[in-house]
């Protein structure tokens, strides 16, 4: 039974990663040129798939963590978190630049929140 849990976790993790990446790329293409994707494909269907596969992955992740403790945070994790925060801040600025100077403040706050949440998630397993 344990082998099935590991297989389901592995498949759901890979499926979630590929579906989320596809969704984000298509959403970015739709943002840059409206109608580029939505004319041919409804993004809400793919979003539903991403959410369902994410839920399955999260349920299996908690069961897998009970058996395998998390690893320590590395410098690659820090670099990835910083890159993710900067990218998220830039995307928020791009979408809110019509607001004027306040858009820069919103983007910086968004990047800071993303960075803090990334560190919170990465440091969660180290204190136990």
């Amino acid at each position: 039974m344990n082998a099935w849990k590991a297989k389901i976790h592995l498949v759901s993790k890979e499926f979630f990663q590929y579906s989320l990446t596809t969704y984000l790329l298509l959403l970015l293409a739709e943002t840059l040129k409206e109608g580029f994707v939505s004319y041919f494909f409804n993004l809400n269907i793919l979003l539903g798939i991403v959410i369902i596969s994410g839920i399955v992955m999260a349920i299996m992740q908690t069961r897998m963590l009970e058996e395998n403790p998390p690893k320590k945070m590395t410098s690659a994790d820090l670099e990835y978190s910083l890159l993710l925060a900067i990218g998220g801040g830039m995307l928020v600025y791009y979408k809110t630049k019509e607001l004027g100077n306040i858009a820069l403040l919103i983007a910086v706050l968004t990047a800071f929140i993303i960075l803090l949440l990334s560190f919170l998630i990465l440091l969660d397993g180290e204190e136990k």
Side-chain angles (χ1 to χ4, degrees), residues 41-117:
F41 183 71
N42 187 358
L43 283 175
N44 293 332
I45 296 170
L46 187 56
L47 179 61
I49 293 170
V50 170
I51 290 171
I52 291 170
S53 63
I55 290 170
V56 171
M57 186 191 72
I59 291 171
M60 291 298 150
Q61 178 72 24
T62 56
R63 292 181 182 162
M64 294 298 292
L65 281 178
E66 293 171 356
E67 300 166 5
N68 303 325
K71 297 182 276 184
K72 298 271 185 190
M73 186 169 53
T74 63
S75 63
D77 293 334
L78 295 174
E79 292 170 1
Y80 181 69
S81 297
L82 187 62
L83 183 67
L84 184 66
I86 291 171
M90 289 172 53
L91 183 62
V92 167
Y93 179 73
Y94 175 73
K95 294 297 281 185
T96 60
K97 66 182 174 185
E98 299 89 30
L99 297 175
N101 292 334
I102 194 76
L104 186 61
L105 177 65
I106 293 171
V108 169
L109 286 174
T110 302
F112 184 68
I113 290 171
I114 292 172
L115 192 63
L116 285 179
L117 287 174

